[in-house]
Amino acid sequence: MQQLDLFYEGKAKKIYHTDDPDLIIIHFKDDASAFNGIKKAKIKGKGIINNEITTIIFQDLAKEGIESHFVKGLNERDMLAKKLDIIPLEIVVRNVISGSMSKRLNIKEGTTIPNTIYELCLKNDKLGDPLLNRHHAVALGLTTYEDLDEMFAQTVKINNALKKLFANINITLVDFKIEFGKTKDGKIILADEISPDSCRLWDSTTKEILDKDRFRRDLGDVIQAYQQVLERLKNRK
Ligand code: TMP
């Protein structure tokens, strides 16, 4: 299997074609960005840690019967994945109130809620990934109601599996963002990454922030927090 041309470069990852048209290589960079690209930095070693965390999580989800685009690790920064047509939507899951929901609705961060909140955002940097609902998504031709039902059904399972995985290492999964894509035979599969870049993770005892909010909010020790998440995942029972 050979790496071919770069066909997509995002804020934290580069994606390459391979000589197998059904497979891509995902390269995890050290770049971090926040507030829709206004704040940028390089966090040395972040790409390596996020590749490893995403690998552990996708492997754990596979054990729980949840398929993702992950095929295998290639080296410390590169992962082999299935080539999908990415659906240009982000699904945000909230188990505890934080971030944009806290600001938008003026609710104290850390407020617990009786049910899980599922949000849809348009994957569009120029518009700042605006919130939309399922009817907008269908009207805009981005997806169908049937595919949305499938994505949300998988999302419920993913949230349950991730909450269990993190609870086991004394971490509260506050919220996270996932993306889905379609295989050429029409199957919807979890894509992208799941890492402290795309989740809010708080130590369940101390409430210490162990995710990208350390970068967004200038809390310092960003890489140490990511490393701690990785170490806890590696040492889980
Ligand atoms: P938010 O509170 O800013 O809406 O973010 C909710 C969660 O989703 C948080 O864990 C960060 C993650 N997220 C991304 O990873 N990328 C995105 O583009 C957005 C909007 C959220």
Side-chain angles (χ1 to χ4, degrees):
M1 205 269 314
Q2 214 189 329
Q3 179 171 312
L4 301 178
D5 56 306
L6 174 78
F7 79 95
Y8 174 81
E9 179 157 10
K11 285 169 269 186
K13 292 185 291 293
K14 288 182 185 174
I15 318 273
Y16 295 88
H17 283 121
T18 71
D19 55 359
D20 182 334
D22 294 330
L23 296 174
I24 54 165
I25 291 174
I26 303 175
H27 177 85
F28 287 77
K29 303 192 289 182
D30 284 345
D31 301 73
S33 77
F35 314 118
N36 206 23
I38 292 168
K39 180 171 178 172
K40 285 186 192 156
K42 263 200 193 322
I43 299 168
K44 202 167 173 288
K46 178 176 80 76
I48 296 172
I49 295 176
N50 279 353
N51 183 26
E52 210 172 341
I53 291 176
T54 297
T55 299
I56 292 172
I57 290 177
F58 282 162
Q59 286 173 336
D60 188 85
L61 289 176
K63 281 190 201 135
E64 301 280 335
I66 301 154
E67 202 184 333
S68 73
H69 67 163
F70 174 79
V71 175
K72 65 173 182 178
L74 295 174
N75 57 55
E76 61 180 13
R77 283 187 189 271
D78 296 319
M79 156 187 304
L80 190 65
K82 289 178 192 137
K83 187 169 192 326
L84 303 174
D85 266 340
I86 296 295
I87 298 162
L89 292 170
E90 299 184 337
I91 297 188
V92 170
V93 180
R94 300 183 190 277
N95 296 308
V96 178
I97 303 301
S98 186
S100 67
M101 179 167 172
S102 166
K103 282 203 193 71
R104 205 159 49 82
L105 299 177
N106 191 26
I107 305 170
K108 194 174 179 302
E109 289 218 296
T111 302
T112 53
I113 41 177
N115 57 307
T116 308
I117 296 170
Y118 301 92
E119 292 175 357
L120 269 181
C121 295
L122 178 65
K123 203 170 140 62
N124 183 321
D125 286 341
K126 275 195 200 131
L127 298 177
D129 296 337
L131 197 60
L132 40 68
N133 68 27
R134 47 196 279 125
H135 307 292
H136 293 104
V138 174
L140 294 175
L142 307 172
T143 185
T144 62
Y145 286 111
E146 293 73 26
D147 285 356
L148 280 166
D149 286 344
E150 171 64 20
M151 284 187 265
F152 279 113
Q154 289 194 35
T155 300
V156 171
K157 288 189 194 155
I158 292 164
N159 186 39
N160 287 336
L162 293 181
K163 276 197 296 188
K164 192 171 87 180
L165 174 69
F166 283 113
N168 187 26
I169 55 172
N170 201 41
I171 287 175
T172 303
L173 177 62
V174 172
D175 57 32
F176 62 95
K177 181 268 307 180
I178 46 176
E179 296 177 23
F180 289 92
K182 256 189 175 185
T183 60
K184 60 176 190 252
D185 40 354
K187 197 167 176 195
I188 292 178
I189 291 182
L190 174 63
D192 196 45
E193 67 176 290
I194 299 181
S195 74
D197 272 7
S198 60
C199 303
R200 285 197 171 89
L201 303 168
W202 296 352
D203 181 283
S204 301
T205 311
T206 64
K207 309 289 177 221
E208 185 188 0
I209 292 171
L210 299 172
D211 58 65
K212 195 167 145 187
D213 273 347
R214 298 206 73 86
F215 167 68
R216 295 188 190 96
R217 301 176 187 190
D218 292 321
L219 299 175
D221 292 338
V222 182
I223 203 70
Q224 288 83 350
Y226 281 47
Q227 186 71 46
Q228 200 183 135
V229 173
L230 175 59
E231 289 309 319
R232 290 197 205 183
L233 283 170
K234 283 208 276 199
N235 296 326
R236 75 193 183 284
K237 287 178 201 97

